[in-house]
């Protein structure tokens, strides 16, 4: 396909046909003037190799002196022709004597010379044939990358000399085979190619723009995409998708947009009216494509296209729920939510048809992912359909969880899903639970969905999952390489358990999995509260443990064991360090203020803190050993000291109520606590803060 500036872009379909032709029968090169290309069969080729071996072509390639009247490159051309002939045999293409020629062959791609010289052109063709043959061997791409071939191919393409279209085709193959290694070795050169392709894409007015849609995703870097490339790509996509297109023209554009959304979120879409219209168009087209593909029973689903549309829908969900700096205006959000609701209905319809034999297919996982993204933000619509699908979702998540357990590959449990489905094997373990957790957190608040989840065994599965994920953060594991999704998943699990503690306390008491969970919380919190940057997770663990302790207070594990004492000491540490006295300029009295560690995350933390204070208060009368332990920690004394050192006007009423609740229960439970509070001016402090219940309790013997 001829593109801007006369460039030729080889379509992926044509390239595949060419690769298949190459693997079956590479074109025979000219070996000598006495042997014509079409006359060499495999047997003859082997006889030539047996006769000359690698010694002769080696001498030709390294010779520095040519006979009089013979240009230097003619000998090299003959040497490359012999190598190309040998490389037609896959066994010889992987031979060390071929592999060690990669650096020399790569230099031929960018060597200067007469562009009309037939011998030079023949040498370039033979060079590409050699490199393509090596790339087709199992370890060939690795050798080519190490030999500097990627940079040479980039320079050959950017130079637009003879054979530059072959350079692009081979680059595409290497990127498809070893993307990470290619970018590691030749990032500046590959970015230069991306800039050229992006510019061509933005300017293209003919059918070459559709071919470029297929090529460009392969050249998007694993790191940041240059801003000028993003501008060109967005402008090109806007023109394509704003036109009336057939599916073969539209689908590559949707896939390119999905790759950009996956890599950059919405940063590649300009702000303003044009950007919001473009985003609305993207999401609209994606939803239409999903409905057409999934609502028609019996039709073949183009999984790569639909998966790309899922990515665009996910981008739409994110923008519709963004409160600040959203690209979309409110009327656009309302319209898109309605459109996406219909597409999600089609996804649910598809998942209802999925049989046991398809549960491990990547496309099913992608479909569950987009449903999970929707449920994380919206559970009120499609409630009936979602409830009908819940048994499948629990079974599906359990199947993939158990598959990962069997393979014992925890890294797959935290891997993110690629935009395109993978075909790496018959089974594909994936962390479906991580995707479903936010939606299930919302659903466990509602009676109907919660009963279904409990009936299908979701709580037990979630406990196992929590314990397994917790192991990833335990000593002995490198937590620095874990994605944020692991810790976020643990926090969301805690939220689900908190919902169950409040709405289904009987389940907590009778299901043995919660006893195991309680033991893990008790042994883990002491170390967790000491770790920097993990305060929010510690808050979740502490609050959940305190609430569960109220329900499991008769358990032997909570009767003053070392683990239970360590847990409550850590919980007291979390609750007691939230506030400090802070001096204010121009005032004799300090004010109550948040501690530095708590201040930045208090918006996410405060509900857990208040709930934790309430739960601790409820534990005191149920665990006789707890009040003396709290007294030994000096928490009640230090709390009264803190209140006495700050202005009562700086302490909000809800804080006063939380503090009084803890102090009253400790005072009622233990005489020594009452005496210690009196010594700390407890009665006077209670009077200042109008804590009537505490004042009365301390006035009693």
């Amino acid at each position: 396909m001829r593109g801007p500036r006369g460039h030729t872009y080889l379509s992926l379909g044509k390239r595949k046909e060419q690769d298949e032709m190459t693997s079956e029968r590479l074109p025979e090169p000219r070996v000598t003037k006495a042997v014509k290309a079409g006359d060499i069969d495999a047997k003859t080729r082997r006889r030539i190799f047996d006769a000359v071996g690698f010694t002769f072509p080696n001498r030709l390639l390294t010779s520095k002196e040519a006979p009089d009247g013979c240009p230097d490159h003619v000998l090299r051309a003959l040497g490359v022709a012999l190598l190309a002939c040998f490389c037609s045999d896959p066994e010889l293409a992987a031979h060390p004597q071929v592999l060690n020629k990669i650096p020399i062959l790569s230099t031929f791609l960018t060597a200067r010379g007469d562009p009309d010289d037939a011998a030079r052109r023949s040498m370039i063709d033979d060079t590409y044939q050699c490199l393509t043959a090596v790339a087709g061997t199992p370890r060939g791409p690795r050798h080519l990358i190490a030999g500097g071939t990627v940079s040479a191919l980039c320079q050959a393409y950017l130079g637009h000399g003879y054979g530059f279209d072959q350079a692009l085709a081979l680059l595409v193959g290497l990127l498809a085979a070893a993307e990470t290694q290619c970018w590691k070795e030749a990032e500046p050169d590959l970015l230069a190619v991306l800039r050229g392709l992006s510019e061509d894409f933005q300017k293209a007015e003919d059918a070459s723009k559709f071919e470029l849609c297929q090529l460009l995703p392969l050249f998007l870097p694993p790191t940041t995409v240059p801003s000028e490339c993003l501008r060109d790509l967005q402008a090109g996509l806007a023109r394509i998708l704003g036109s009336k297109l057939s599916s073969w023209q539209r689908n590559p554009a949707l896939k390119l947009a999905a790759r950009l959304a996956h890599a950059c979120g919405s940063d590649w879409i300009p702000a303003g009216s044009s950007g919001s219209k473009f985003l609305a168009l993207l999401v609209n087209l994606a939803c239409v494509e999903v409905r057409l593909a999934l609502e028609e029973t019996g039709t073949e689903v183009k999984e790569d296209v639909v998966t790309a549309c899922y990515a665009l829908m996910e981008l739409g969900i994110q923008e519709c729920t963004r409160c600040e700096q959203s690209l979309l205006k409110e009327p656009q959000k309302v319209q898109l939510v309605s459109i996406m609701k219909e597409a999600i209905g089609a996804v649910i319809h598809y998942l209802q048809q999925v049989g046991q034999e398809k549960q491990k297919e990547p496309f099913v996982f992608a479909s569950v992912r987009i449903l999970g993204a929707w449920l994380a933000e919206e559970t009120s619509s499609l409630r009936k359909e979602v409830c009908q699908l819940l048994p499948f979702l629990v079974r599906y998540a359990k199947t993939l969880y158990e598959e990962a357990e069997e393979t014992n590959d925890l890294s797959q449990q935290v891997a993110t899903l690629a935009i395109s489905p993978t075909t790496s094997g018959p089974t594909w373990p994936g962390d479906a639970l991580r995707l479903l957790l936010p939606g299930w957190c919302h659903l466990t608040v509602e009676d109907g969905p919660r009963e279904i989840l409990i009936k299908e065994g979701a709580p037990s599965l979630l406990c196992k999952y929590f314990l397994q994920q917790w192991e990833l953060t335990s000593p002995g594991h490198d937590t620095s390489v874990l994605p944020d999704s692991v810790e976020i998943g643990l926090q969301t699990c805690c939220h689900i358990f908190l919902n169950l503690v409040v709405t289904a306390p009987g389940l907590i008491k009778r299901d043995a999995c919660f006893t195991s969970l309680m033991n893990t919380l008790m042994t883990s919190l002491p170390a967790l509260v000491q770790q920097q940057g993990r305060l929010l997770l510690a808050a979740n663990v502490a609050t959940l443990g305190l609430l569960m302790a109220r329900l499991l207070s008769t358990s032997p594990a909570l009767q003053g064991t070392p683990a239970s004492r360590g847990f409550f000491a850590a919980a007291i540490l979390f609750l007691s360090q939230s506030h400090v006295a802070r001096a204010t300029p121009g005032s004799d009295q300090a004010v109550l203020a948040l501690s530095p560690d708590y201040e930045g995350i208090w918006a996410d933390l405060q509900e857990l803190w208040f709930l934790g204070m309430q739960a601790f208060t409820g534990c005191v009368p149920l665990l006789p050993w707890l009040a003396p332990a709290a007294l030994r920690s000096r928490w009640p004394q230090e709390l009264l000291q803190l209140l006495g050192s700050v202005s009562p006007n700086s302490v909000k009423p809800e804080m006063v109520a939380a503090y009084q609740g803890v102090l009253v229960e400790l005072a009622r439970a233990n005489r020594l606590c009452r005496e210690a509070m009196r010594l700390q001016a407890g009665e006077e402090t209670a009077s200042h803060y109008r804590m009537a219940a505490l004042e009365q309790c301390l006035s009693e013997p």
Side-chain angles (χ1 to χ4, degrees), residues 40-105:
I40 304 176
D41 56 18
K43 185 177 180 181
T44 304
R45 179 172 57 241
R46 196 70 193 191
R47 287 178 62 193
I48 294 172
F49 174 73
D50 292 339
V52 302
F54 285 109
T55 304
F56 183 43
N58 287 350
R59 289 173 56 193
L60 292 171
L61 290 171
T62 59
S63 177
K64 297 182 180 179
E65 296 183 4
D68 293 340
C70 178
D72 293 344
H73 70 268
V74 171
L75 294 181
R76 292 194 295 271
L78 180 56
V80 177
L82 283 168
L83 279 183
C85 174
F86 299 158
C87 285
S88 300
D89 183 335
E91 184 178 342
L92 293 179
H95 195 282
Q97 286 287 344
V98 172
L99 299 179
N100 65 22
K101 303 296 182 303
I102 290 173
I104 298 176
L105 293 172

Side-chain angles (χ1 to χ4, degrees), residues 99-125:
L99 299 179
N100 65 22
K101 303 296 182 303
I102 290 173
I104 298 176
L105 293 172
S106 296
T107 62
F108 295 162
L109 301 179
T110 56
R112 295 182 178 181
D114 183 0
D116 297 323
D117 187 298
R120 185 176 296 279
R121 289 191 171 207
S122 177
M123 182 177 71
I124 292 175
D125 286 335

